[in-house]
Structure formats: C-alpha cells, structure tokens
Amino acid sequence: MLPRPLPADPMVQQLIRQAQQAKMGRRTLLAGAGGGAAALALAACSSGGAKSKPTAAADKSATSKLVRWDNWALYIDVDDAGNYPTLQAFEAETGIKVEYTEAVDDNNTYYGKVKDQLALGKDIGADTVCLTDWMVGRMIRFGYTQELDHANIPNLKNLFPSLKDVGFDPGRKMSVPWQGGFAGICWNKEKLPGGLTSVQDLWAPELKGRVGVLSEMRDTVGLIMLDQGVDISGDWGDDEYNAAIDELSKQVSDGQVRNIKGNAYKEDLINEDTLAAIVWSGDIVQLNAENGDKWGFSVPEKGGTLWNDNFLVPIGATHKKNVETLINYYYDPAVAAEVAAYVNYITPVVGAKEAAMAIDPELANNQLIFPDEATLKKAKVFRNLSGAEEQKYDAAFQSILLGS
C-alpha cells in the first residue's frame, strides 16, 4: 500500500513528523510533543497578526457581473437536466452570471489548496465559498476574509436570531450561514434491517471492514466523544479527546473502519464498500431520492453534532458586492424553501418553513430541515478550540489518517 500524503497544513505536518521521528504515541503528541505543539500553535496564531494580514482586493462588481461560487457536492437545487433552478432565476433577475463549482470535499483539503494564495491576498478563483464554522473562524483570525456590507443584504433580517452573533464572527461581519445540519450515523437498510442507534453499533463484528467515517475531525471525533459521555459543547480537554482518539485508532488499526473521507464517502455507500458510516444528514436524504430508499439515518441516542456552513468572501475576491446580492437573494424565504426542498439541510432563514408548506407539508415537518427543540437537544456544537488545541488535536487526528 502506498503511504498516504501528509495533510496540507505545514504546522500539522511538522507535528506529525516529530511524532513519527521520535516514535511517539498519540498521548505524547497530545501532550505537546515536548512543547512543539504550543510553539507551532502560537506561530499559527501570529501568522494572522495585524501586520501580516493581506489587503482586500478592489471590487469590480460595478463593471463585471459575475460571481464565482465554490461549494460542497449535493448542496444546491438541481433539476433533471443538471441545471440549478434558483441560480438560473437569480441570473435572470439580476443579470449576474454565476459560475458554480462543487470544489469543496472537506474543509482541510480545500484550505490546503488555497491557503498560500490567501496569505498573499491573491485571488483563489472564487468570490465566495461555503465552509464550516471552525474553518471560517480560522480564516477570519488570519485576515483571509472581507467584511460584508449588510446594507447590500437587507434580507439578512431573516437570519435566525440564534445565528446572528457567534463567537467566531461577532455580529456576522465576515460570514453568513448557508445551510446547517447534523452529523449522525447511517446504514444500508437492506443489509442491516435492524438499523443502528449508536456509534457503538458501528463497531459490531459483522461490520468489520464495511464502516466509513468522516475526515472532518469535529464530526467523527465529536460523535465518539458524545458516545463516551462527553458534552462536546462544554468543558473538556486532552484526556477526553485522547480517549476518543484511542477508540478511533483502534477501530482503524483493527480494520473495522474501511475509509475516512469527506464528501466522497457517498460513493462508498452506493457501491456498498461501506454498509454503515458516520455521515451528514442531508446527503442521505438525497442519496435515497436518487438511488432508492436504501439508507437509514439517525442522530445517535447519545447525541450528534450540529454545524453550519457559511458564505464568506475570500480576501482576494473581486466581486464582493455581487456576492452580497447573491446572499440577499438566498435569504428570501421562498428561495430558501426551494433550496431546502432539494438539499434537505437546516435552512437559517426565518419564514422558510412557512414557505415550504406551500411546496410540500411533509417537507415542512421534516426534522432534518426544520428541527424542533426536542431534535435540537439531541445535537451538540463542538466547542471553539484555541489555536494550540486546534493544532495538536488536528495533528492527533491526522496521524490516524496516515496510519501511524
């Protein structure tokens, strides 16, 4: 078997190399690799300091009617001809052309491709990209995003109040939610008619070599921590994280886990390389619609993760006002409901549920799109990490991907 490539983040690479060269265990790595993790984390934080932050590009929106949008797969409405109906309507309404690309497989791989350009303030080829809360927080800290002009987004009044002021972006100056969702567990209903209710069910002997988990650390490790009784939104530290890492490492080294992937995990479910997996909620609804009702999904009994992906404007983007016009369009409740009807993720737009009733009452009552308080109580948001924590926890997780 060929060795896996090192993760894109050079500081994570250095931590892993330190551990490999010193033949350290993950406990040593989490302890800081002799202080290296803390030093590297401080370097990472300082790289986003005021003196090193790049300058925002000039906005060409007035003369160039274009938006280049990078997003995840299966994350916007698509018709049978492969067109995007809401984007077509936006283009007709505004005269702004949208180049839409499914360029994001997971947060780390996308960031790894563009971080050097971001650091130099260069155009990454996208005017907006939708990334998850924690990655948006990192990019804001490093000065890699442009400030949004809320005057150009009057429909932002429809943003759910609970999402208007978040720790990684107070006042939503730099980011706006696109969609949210749960990480939970799924299973092939033909092969596993009894279903699954917990992360522990993934470790059943009959599933050896047929389990997939996500390459998003906060979702995979977060679900394992929840299964071990840890409130991932609360007060926990190295000991709790290390226990989950040890569990994941065991399942990978024993051959229980077949694949650790981003959005590409869907193909493994379709071809039945995996029969059960840690997954994102909306993907399973869409896979069932496209391939027959083959998979079940649940938020585990001990809890799932809850997250949002967010619009941001990269520092080198040249069409910021056009992006703001796009965001405003998608914050119309009727448009938000149309997208939700296809993607089956949690819309952040107040009024979208009422608009969805006109499309499909069953849709409006879907707990994966419009969750009630009881459903939301089953999910937790992975707490914010300090720079030092992010470096050492990512390194420990990536070391499993490398098979060390």
Side-chain angles (χ1 to χ4, degrees):
M1 180 181 293
L2 293 174
R4 295 188 180 102
L6 284 171
D9 191 318
M11 286 170 288
V12 174
Q13 290 180 15
Q14 185 175 337
L15 274 176
I16 293 173
R17 288 193 183 102
Q18 286 178 350
Q20 292 171 332
Q21 291 167 2
K23 297 182 179 180
M24 296 175 182
R26 288 187 187 85
R27 292 183 182 277
T28 310
L29 185 61
L30 277 170
L40 286 169
L42 287 173
C45 294
S46 65
S47 69
K51 292 183 179 180
S52 62
K53 289 182 179 178
T55 302
D59 192 356
K60 300 178 181 178
S61 295
T63 57
S64 178
K65 297 301 181 182
L66 174 68
V67 169
R68 300 161 299 164
W69 180 4
D70 283 357
N71 207 351
W72 304 70
L74 302 179
Y75 220 19
I76 198 170
D77 51 307
V78 182
D79 64 20
D80 292 339
N83 300 311
Y84 306 116
T86 57
L87 279 183
Q88 290 180 320
F90 171 78
E91 290 176 332
E93 178 181 311
T94 64
I96 299 171
K97 177 178 173 55
V98 181
E99 295 179 357
Y100 184 84
T101 307
E102 293 182 345
V104 184
D105 183 61
D106 70 19
N107 288 286
N108 277 316
T109 56
Y110 186 86
Y111 179 72
K113 290 186 295 185
V114 301
K115 62 183 177 57
D116 292 339
Q117 294 163 278
L118 290 168
L120 296 171
K122 301 294 186 182
D123 186 356
I124 66 170
D127 297 301
T128 188
V129 57
C130 294
L131 297 173
T132 310
D133 295 333
W134 66 270
M135 180 58 77
V136 174
R138 176 192 292 183
M139 291 180 65
I140 291 172
R141 290 198 310 272
F142 289 179
Y144 294 167
T145 61
Q146 297 187 39
E147 184 169 347
L148 299 172
D149 184 349
H150 288 187
N152 294 326
I153 319 174
N155 281 338
L156 201 55
K157 64 185 180 184
N158 297 324
L159 175 62
F160 270 101
S162 61
L163 298 174
K164 288 184 176 180
D165 194 43
V166 290
F168 64 87
D169 185 15
R172 286 291 181 181
K173 293 180 179 180
M174 302 289 185
S175 67
V176 175
W178 164 238
Q179 305 289 318
F182 303 105
I185 53 177
C186 84
W187 60 94
N188 184 310
K189 294 195 291 186
E190 295 173 0
K191 307 294 185 181
L192 301 167
L196 306 179
T197 61
S198 71
V199 171
Q200 283 299 310
D201 290 341
L202 296 174
W203 314 145
E206 59 269 24
L207 285 176
K208 185 170 183 177
R210 309 298 292 277
V211 175
V213 299
L214 292 168
S215 58
E216 287 290 331
M217 177 270 284
R218 287 160 178 78
D219 290 326
T220 291
V221 180
L223 257 69
I224 295 172
M225 291 174 71
L226 286 162
D227 190 67
Q228 294 177 340
V230 178
D231 179 356
I232 59 173
S233 64
D235 185 17
W236 55 267
D238 289 358
D239 288 345
E240 292 82 1
Y241 185 85
N242 190 71
I245 283 289
D246 284 349
E247 175 71 11
L248 178 60
S249 178
K250 177 181 184 300
Q251 300 303 332
V252 171
S253 61
D254 288 351
Q256 185 75 17
V257 172
R258 182 188 184 100
N259 291 318
I260 305 176
K261 292 186 176 180
N263 252 152
Y265 76 82
K266 300 184 297 295
E267 296 306 316
D268 295 328
L269 291 171
I270 292 169
N271 62 31
E272 297 188 0
D273 279 349
T274 56
L275 300 179
I278 292 175
V279 300
W280 293 308
S281 53
D283 286 350
I284 303 307
V285 179
Q286 292 176 58
L287 285 176
N288 278 334
E290 295 169 0
N291 300 278
D293 188 24
K294 290 183 61 176
W295 297 278
F297 173 86
S298 71
V299 176
E301 291 176 344
K302 292 189 177 181
T305 62
L306 179 65
W307 43 264
N308 277 285
D309 292 322
N310 308 267
F311 285 107
L312 60 81
V313 177
I315 194 68
T318 54
H319 300 90
K320 184 173 80 77
K321 187 174 182 180
N322 291 345
V323 173
E324 292 160 348
T325 303
L326 179 78
I327 294 171
N328 190 64
Y329 169 78
Y330 277 104
Y331 268 71
D332 180 303
V335 178
E338 189 175 349
V339 173
Y342 182 86
V343 302
N344 289 275
Y345 280 104
I346 303 171
T347 175
V349 179
V350 173
K353 180 175 183 178
E354 290 72 19
M357 289 293 292
I359 300 174
D360 181 358
E362 184 177 348
L363 172 77
N365 291 314
N366 187 327
Q367 289 298 302
L368 298 182
I369 308 171
F370 303 106
D372 58 23
E373 286 302 315
T375 301
L376 289 172
K377 283 182 179 179
K378 294 180 65 177
K380 296 288 186 179
V381 176
F382 200 98
R383 72 166 173 82
N384 287 336
L385 300 179
S386 68
E389 289 175 325
E390 183 171 313
Q391 290 298 316
K392 64 182 175 180
Y393 293 163
D394 270 349
F397 182 69
Q398 294 293 341
S399 70
I400 294 177
L401 272 65
L402 292 168
S404 59

